[in-house]
Amino acid sequence: MKKTGFLLFALTCLACVQAAAQQTSVKDIDRKVNELLAKMTLEEKIGQLQQRAGDISTGTAVAKDDLMSQIRSGQVGSVLSNTSFENKIIMQRAAVKETRLGIPLVFGFDVIHGYKTIFPIPLAQAASWDMGMIEQIERIAATEAAADGQDWAFAPMVDVSRDPRWGRVMEGAGEDPYLGSKVAAARVKGFQGSDLSSPTAVAACVKHYAGYGFTEGGRDYNTVDMSDQRLREMVLPPFEAAAKAGSATFMNAFNTLNGVPASMNKYLVSDILRGEWGWSGMVVSDWNSFGETIVHGAAADETDAAAKCLNAGSDMDMAGSTFQKGLKNALDKGRVTKAQIDEAVRRVLRFKFQLGLFDNPFVRLDPKRRAETLEKPEYRQFSREAAAKSMVLLKNEGGILPLTEKSPFKRILIIGPYANSHTNKDYMSFWTLGLGMRYYDSTKVVTPAMALKPQLEALGFSVSVQEICLDATCTEKDLSVAIQAAREADLVIACVGEEGLNCGESRCVSDLNLRDNQEQILRVTSRNNKPTVMVLFNSRPMTFQWANDNVPAILVAWQPGFEAGNALSDVLTGKVNPGGKLPVTFPRSTGQIPLYYNHLKTGRPQEIFGTMWTSGYLDLPSTPAYPFGFGLSYTKFAYSDIRLSKSQISLTETLEVSVDVTNTGGLAGDEVVQLYINDVAADIARPVQELKGFEKVNLAAGATKTVTFKLTAADLSYWNQNSKRKADPGKFTVFVGGNARDVKSAGFELK
Ligand code: GLC
């Protein structure tokens, strides 16, 4: 007993020492910040609020003015999107040795799905529902980015979206705020680690605050208008989770929210983020989004824009000149105070202290560490595993997959625009800036053909490859090649989808169908019932109604990154039993958008397609092609009925929800057991389902596992019409299953 007591005492002391140390360091940093601030001129202060573009434009044209002279004259606090390690050393040396106060620069970069080693796109990673994997991906990405001189990642993007026409759906975690919150926290922890001053840590930057995923028409940068109720319930939870996880910075969004541009939206930045959530980090604009408040028509000129953005609580001007041109005037005219400018500068300086840049401005500019770190083989191996875990099997009629020695096929054809592409960042996305923009070494990418041909031949298959419809346009010649090639095959693997460069920001589409009649490939290869596997390389939900009805096997591979081919081969040959689950609803048609699982019931829900006087269409069922949370396996899982620990709980009690999940097939496999609730009768209409828990389990063939979730009144609460988060007593239904549609249910009551 004595020993345990002593151990407990020692641990408590250690925790106190650590907390005290942290407290000291915070106090210590604030003291140093204030000492430095007191020495600064107004120009030097405004200089710290300036982020200049490096050698890549990820928005409007990069300013051509001379960056080095601005750095030397103390007009620059940060540089973004610079891909040259050597140039960053030169710039940092100029900032530290050639300016009056020697304040170091902080380098920011878009680290969206890997830095030099490219991983599956974030939406694909979310389909793994594996938070440990996601955190580890960001840990690797941070290690590479920091080794290459980047201090700050402009990620995670946590925008919930229900509109796949929007090109940036690929950057987030899909349509659900609960899953989005778990992913957001995992990414922040992965980037920042436990010590922001570590040479392998980069600061996170939660974006885009807020509402960007709800732009009208799915068109980038467009208008966002929503109730406070929807903002609180659907948009803000991942941002709050990221703030609570300790993200050092936030980024404004481009859009207006209810008429007010996010960069000058005091309600968002000051009242909620800094006020309600008590977050004290630094807010950077998006690319010239301060200046764009003038274009929005919500500011008259730079002075007005500078005043409104600073007053809202935003601190740093990315790739714009609004603060440079307008902030001094705003001060002279009394639109802002010296104290407000000081507070913004304090946040920037504190951020740099936290990153260790004052202790060592070259902490992430170490050539030796760079040489040892970039593109380690184990990073690539992890990318392969992550890509395989992210793939989602939508159809597998007749058990066509996996392809093994036992398969009845001998001759396999791999065909399509993405059978063996080495261009246009295929299998990746626009957001792989660390590889360079146009001319990057695409030999690093393992294509489907490069992996599948040898790996299937090793299993005894004969394999042919036909690259057709290159640049995703299918000609008559392409189709005649496809007809001929399919005749000589027993099984066709058709690799279709989206060009990598067409995935990401400013890549919105009006039609979600496979582009440029790629579906024709499937039609011709499927003739005479030739077994066809459709492999989709996509950055968003897409529609493929004909394939849904006619192609026996469909695998969503997303944009899988460097190891696309090996991951695909691991899944198609069964080395990896696919366990991915959709983080976004796949609609039948673009016309159904927005279509999402956590919708309200309406007063006239359409239970049966075609029922008059109900909410639906004449020409299409109002159900999706594939629901949120959906994904098949090469094995099958059975769910017992739900067992509840109580039939009712009080506001202070916990309800336990249990099910037995059994692997009834012949292969071990992963299953994501999902828990949803419905508030049957509340003070306002509530979603028909809300995800409130999930657990990813791996079960051997024939094995059973009891999965138990805990629910409290907090899980049942919502942002009500009195702007309070509370649970309404009354009936609730709980659902458990392997997706949002195929569920078991049970009822309970909150007293
Ligand atoms: C872009 C994006 C933002 C990115 C920034 C810097 O326009 O909206 O997500 O981090 O500019 O590249």
Side-chain angles (χ1 to χ4, degrees), residues 58 80-81 110 154 168 207-208 251 254 286-287 318 431 505:
T58 55
L80 82 145
S81 305
D110 289 286
F154 297 134
R168 307 196 75 167
K207 68 187 189 182
H208 304 80
M251 184 188 293
F254 284 119
D286 201 336
W287 187 283
M318 175 196 288
W431 284 119
E505 181 179 355

Side-chain angles (χ1 to χ4, degrees), residues 46 49 306-307 310 322-331 336 341:
I46 293 176
L49 306 183
L310 193 82
T322 305
F323 275 6
Q324 195 82 43
K325 289 179 182 160
L327 201 47
K328 185 175 182 318
N329 287 352
L331 179 65
V336 298
I341 294 176

Side-chain angles (χ1 to χ4, degrees), residues 107-134:
F107 292 102
F109 205 85
D110 289 286
V111 187
I112 309 304
H113 50 106
Y115 183 70
K116 291 290 186 191
T117 302
I118 303 304
F119 288 87
I121 56 173
L123 189 62
Q125 294 176 31
S128 74
W129 296 56
D130 183 337
M131 299 309 122
M133 179 195 94
I134 291 171

Side-chain angles (χ1 to χ4, degrees), residues 195 423 555 652:
D195 172 7
T423 57
L555 178 72
T652 55

Side-chain angles (χ1 to χ4, degrees), residues 33-227:
V33 163
N34 286 323
E35 279 168 9
L36 179 52
L37 193 66
K39 297 174 192 162
M40 294 170 76
T41 66
L42 177 63
E43 285 66 28
E44 287 166 335
K45 290 175 182 176
I46 293 176
Q48 285 302 307
L49 306 183
Q50 195 63 42
Q51 180 177 65
R52 280 264 174 263
D55 53 6
I56 292 184
S57 163
T58 55
T60 45
V62 175
K64 294 296 169 217
D65 40 22
D66 175 4
L67 180 54
M68 286 305 290
S69 66
Q70 290 188 28
I71 290 171
R72 289 193 179 97
S73 58
Q75 292 175 52
V76 183
S78 171
V79 172
L80 82 145
S81 305
N82 184 283
T83 58
S84 162
F85 184 76
E86 293 69 25
N87 284 353
K88 281 195 277 292
I89 289 176
I90 293 165
M91 287 190 265
Q92 192 66 297
R93 207 174 273 140
V96 171
K97 300 197 183 322
E98 300 176 42
T99 62
R100 193 174 75 87
L101 294 169
I103 299 173
L105 296 168
V106 55
F107 292 102
F109 205 85
D110 289 286
V111 187
I112 309 304
H113 50 106
Y115 183 70
K116 291 290 186 191
T117 302
I118 303 304
F119 288 87
I121 56 173
L123 189 62
Q125 294 176 31
S128 74
W129 296 56
D130 183 337
M131 299 309 122
M133 179 195 94
I134 291 171
E135 183 173 338
Q136 181 56 20
I137 286 174
E138 301 305 19
R139 191 79 302 275
I140 292 169
T143 306
E144 284 193 327
D148 200 36
Q150 314 295 358
D151 304 298
W152 182 16
F154 297 134
M157 184 276 218
V158 302
D159 301 315
V160 169
S161 182
R162 301 160 164 175
D163 195 332
R165 293 171 296 182
W166 187 46
R168 307 196 75 167
V169 161
M170 63 146 274
E171 298 173 39
E175 72 193 45
D176 179 73
Y178 180 89
L179 178 60
S181 300
K182 298 297 182 191
V183 171
R187 292 198 190 285
V188 168
K189 289 179 198 133
F191 278 126
Q192 298 191 163
S194 54
D195 172 7
L196 208 44
S197 65
S198 155
T200 65
V202 294
C205 184
V206 193
K207 68 187 189 182
H208 304 80
Y209 190 61
Y212 191 10
F214 284 73
T215 56
E216 273 182 12
R219 291 184 295 276
D220 234 332
Y221 321 116
N222 211 290
T223 304
V224 174
D225 219 275
M226 64 171 67
S227 68

